Amino acid sequence: MAARESGWDRPTEPGRTRGVAAHKSFGTYVAQVIEVSRDAAGTTAIERVTCAVDCGVAVNPDIVRAQMEGGIGYGIGHVMRNEITFDRGEVVEWNFPDYQPLRMSDIGRIDVHIMPSSAPPTGVGEPGVPPAGPTLANAIAVDGPRVTMLPMAQNGVRFA
């Protein structure tokens, strides 16, 4: 479903690439596709995230979507630029001027698709988080650096 809904079978526009990753936890399967663009200066923008989730019967689909959207943001924010550093055993970042969390402007559209199911419901609180970072890294690696150290912004990736 994630591949179909993201248009995986169609080529991307020039300057755009896609990555994919999947994960299972708490009985829930999640697959994500992230499409990024890169400008002439090499700055990366997250254009679109497509998520498919199989959590059994979606008792409240709006909550399932919200949990996936939040998990995607949480996972992407951590790999993009979140970093805690120490100086002589003390944390350097003490508030938001020193620690930049994910902003709404950092991610374009997020589409969440829920698999129809008659199976018993499973968990949706955490499963959206783990595939987000690898999906972003895979999208960037198509024609950019293969990021092996986090946060990405400190290791060769510039974000819009």
Side-chain angles (χ1 to χ4, degrees):
M1 180 179 274
R4 182 181 68 238
E5 297 298 334
S6 70
W8 189 266
D9 60 337
R10 296 185 308 272
T12 58
E13 296 175 22
R16 291 188 179 211
T17 56
R18 290 187 202 108
V20 63
H23 173 76
K24 178 191 177 204
S25 62
F26 301 93
T28 297
Y29 296 87
V30 177
Q32 295 171 5
V33 175
I34 293 180
E35 185 169 322
V36 300
S37 64
R38 194 161 301 112
D39 65 18
T43 302
T44 299
I46 301 168
E47 301 291 345
R48 180 178 174 204
V49 180
T50 304
C51 174
V53 56
D54 183 351
C55 59
V57 171
V59 176
N60 187 329
D62 289 337
I63 289 177
V64 173
R65 281 187 196 87
Q67 289 286 10
M68 291 300 114
E69 290 169 355
I72 289 164
Y74 190 74
I76 287 174
H78 281 292
V79 302
M80 280 178 72
R81 61 179 164 255
N82 290 1
E83 181 176 40
I84 299 294
T85 58
F86 296 88
D87 182 21
R88 297 183 205 157
E90 253 183 65
V91 174
V92 173
E93 299 78 15
W94 63 276
N95 210 329
F96 291 123
D98 304 316
Y99 178 85
Q100 188 178 8
L102 185 78
R103 305 281 198 295
M104 288 186 68
S105 60
D106 289 326
I107 300 179
R109 190 169 96 208
I110 299 176
D111 298 320
V112 176
H113 303 277
I114 302 168
M115 296 290 293
S117 180
S118 59
T122 57
V124 295
E126 291 88 355
V129 177
T135 306
L136 178 59
N138 287 336
I140 291 168
V142 170
D143 67 359
R146 169 60 71 184
V147 181
T148 58
M149 298 290 292
L150 299 176
M152 292 177 174
Q154 299 297 324
N155 291 284
V157 180
R158 286 187 313 245
F159 289 100

